[in-house]
Amino acid sequence: MRFVTYNKTRFSRRLKQIIGSKHIKQKSVLAFKELIETDPEVYMLFSDMFSEPPADSSDNPIKNYMDMLRKMDAIIGAAPKFQYNSDDDDDYQDPAKPFGNILVYVVATPSGSKAFISDKVNKCLRDILRTWTKFLDSPQSKLVLNKKDGWLSPEALKRMPGFMDKFPCDKEDEYCGYKSWNDFFSRKFKPNVRPIANPDDPYTVVAACEASPYYISKNPQLRDKFWIKSQPYSLQQMLNNDPLSETFVGGTVFQAFLSSRYYHRWHAPVGGKIKRAFIKEAAFYADALRAGFDLTVGHLSQRYKSHVNTRAIILIDTGLEKIGTVAFIAIGMSEISSCLIEVKEGQTVKKGDQLGKFQYGGSTYCLLFQKGVKVKFADESLPADSANWSPCHKQLVRSKIATIEH
């Protein structure tokens, strides 16, 4: 599969510029260090992963786990800076994933693929990311939003076309009125910017997120080998063993990718009653070993991540025989695994209502339709050929994604 091409030399040079202190200061990082050094299995994995060159690369600028920990320690006190390589978006390295950029060379090694699905490792990573997100919610984090060289600079706005028209912005304020990095990242659209397609037609399904269509699968199975190279969907694992998993066997799965520059709130693809709404705490940096080395920090493993990463699972019962229950799964990728659900079980939602949001970066999501539901996807919802996929074609949130035949 061919994905977005990145300049590895410049990527490595930029990563080497992240300067970590000689002594680790953050308690959450010190706890991670203790786990690595006191648990024999974890120690073995984190020692070996740095000597196992991933496919296509042997120039990891992070030399060992102590180097990794020092750089993590330095990142916690900083918000992602806007950075770019050139005017060519295909050469754009996502700066909103600083932790992912550190780990990109080791997650797809044999030892890395085991380490980053470990519950013990992910507990430490969860604590590190929670420490970081406290900073991203603080006023200090907004300094990277400035209009000179930050996320509101002319160069940044070129990569977010129509920003001033779509999102609230106090033009008199250096930071457009945003109070923190996360306030900016999870920003809302202005009223009426994204109208709901056919709001009175229950058989029109709308996009739950602002995302690039990634994959459509027909006839998914209850259990499948989701870790192999083709990454088939395995419903029981995706839905965390929910009893309704079996009703989606033989149905349809739609998946789409959210760039860090996209809008990151979720909206109901259909109307109905919330039957399930819960967070499955799981992995953050798990990549499919057989997907190979991936400088995009996760694009190649999106289907795999829908089974093993932290995710929000929301099931909506439409009450309509021809649609039944639709499942929405918001899947965190790397540090963007803070999924916040804003609806409750038993609540009735209208199509297009807000369900929740991601925080802190790019992500992916799935819609699941039950067996027997005849889904006809709109042309603009069809992913590009998988051999040439890249996150360039964007499906607007609350626009028509499909029609259910009835």
Side-chain angles (χ1 to χ4, degrees), residues 1 3 107-108 214 226-229 231 233 255 257 285-294 296-309 331-333 364 389:
M1 299 173 72
F3 283 73
V107 290
Y214 176 69
F226 57 86
W227 55 89
I228 66 177
K229 191 166 185 179
Q231 299 177 48
Y233 293 105
Q255 186 165 4
F257 170 80
Y285 297 96
D287 267 19
L289 178 61
R290 296 189 185 183
F293 180 59
D294 179 13
T296 65
V297 197
H299 291 182
L300 291 171
S301 299
Q302 286 183 65
R303 279 174 276 168
Y304 174 75
K305 290 175 183 293
S306 70
H307 303 83
V308 300
N309 272 24
I331 304 147
M333 290 175 63
T364 188
W389 185 89

Side-chain angles (χ1 to χ4, degrees), residues 320-363:
L320 298 170
E321 182 181 356
K322 297 295 184 180
I323 307 179
T325 297
V326 175
F328 166 79
I329 306 177
I331 304 147
M333 290 175 63
S334 60
E335 42 264 62
I336 314 88
S337 295
S338 180
C339 303
L340 301 181
I341 294 176
E342 298 177 347
V343 292
K344 297 179 180 180
E345 292 183 8
Q347 179 179 340
T348 297
V349 295
K350 295 180 181 179
K351 181 170 59 179
D353 284 355
Q354 186 168 314
L355 299 176
K357 62 184 177 182
F358 288 117
Q359 295 190 101
Y360 320 121
S363 319

Side-chain angles (χ1 to χ4, degrees), residues 88 90 107 113 131 215 247 249 253 267 279 283 296 375 394 400:
D88 182 0
D90 280 355
V107 290
S113 66
T131 304
Y215 201 77
T247 68
V249 174
V253 180
H267 294 261
I279 302 292
T296 65
V375 188
K394 181 169 62 176
K400 179 180 175 180

Side-chain angles (χ1 to χ4, degrees), residues 50-274:
F50 290 94
S51 61
E52 297 170 347
D56 303 331
S57 177
S58 59
D59 55 351
N60 184 0
I62 311 299
K63 300 307 178 186
N64 51 51
Y65 74 83
M66 277 305 301
D67 193 17
M68 173 195 76
L69 292 170
R70 290 191 188 101
K71 289 175 170 61
M72 286 184 169
D73 193 65
I75 288 171
I76 286 179
K81 293 181 179 180
F82 171 74
Q83 296 171 316
Y84 67 96
N85 288 332
S86 71
D87 290 333
D88 182 0
D89 270 355
D90 280 355
D91 198 32
Y92 181 87
Q93 175 60 37
D94 192 343
K97 300 178 182 178
F99 290 95
N101 292 338
I102 284 177
L103 300 174
V104 65
Y105 287 93
V106 295
V107 290
T109 62
S111 295
S113 66
K114 296 176 183 178
F116 290 105
I117 59 172
S118 161
D119 289 341
K120 292 177 287 188
V121 169
N122 281 298
K123 182 181 183 300
C124 286
L125 289 171
R126 187 175 299 113
D127 290 341
I128 288 172
L129 294 176
R130 283 176 178 169
T131 304
W132 187 52
T133 56
K134 287 181 181 178
F135 176 80
L136 297 184
D137 283 326
S138 72
Q140 295 95 317
S141 68
K142 73 178 181 181
L143 298 179
V144 299
L145 305 179
N146 70 79
K147 297 177 181 177
K148 180 181 179 181
D149 57 7
W151 287 90
L152 297 170
S153 67
E155 194 62 50
L157 293 178
K158 280 170 57 178
R159 288 162 171 75
M160 297 183 287
F163 180 91
M164 293 298 183
D165 297 326
K166 299 172 186 174
F167 300 101
C169 179
D170 178 358
K171 295 182 180 180
E172 300 301 317
D173 183 72
E174 174 68 8
Y175 310 104
C176 275
Y178 294 108
K179 298 176 182 179
S180 65
W181 159 262
N182 190 48
D183 187 33
F184 164 77
F185 178 79
S186 58
R187 58 195 178 272
K188 292 183 178 181
F189 279 121
K190 290 180 179 179
N192 304 318
V193 167
R194 292 289 186 264
I196 303 167
N198 302 331
D200 299 323
D201 179 8
Y203 297 99
T204 296
V205 181
V206 300
C209 300
E210 192 103 343
S212 297
Y214 176 69
Y215 201 77
I216 294 174
S217 175
K218 301 285 187 178
N219 195 34
Q221 299 303 298
L222 184 64
R223 289 180 293 275
D224 215 328
K225 296 181 179 180
F226 57 86
W227 55 89
I228 66 177
K229 191 166 185 179
S230 61
Q231 299 177 48
Y233 293 105
S234 186
L235 296 168
Q236 188 168 350
Q237 284 72 34
M238 292 177 75
L239 294 170
N240 194 40
N241 304 310
D242 190 278
L244 284 176
S245 299
E246 292 189 12
T247 68
F248 293 95
V249 174
T252 304
V253 180
F254 170 86
Q255 186 165 4
F257 170 80
L258 289 75
S259 164
S260 63
R261 291 169 285 170
Y262 292 178
Y263 171 81
H264 268 72
R265 293 172 182 261
W266 328 320
H267 294 261
V270 292
K273 182 176 287 187
I274 304 296

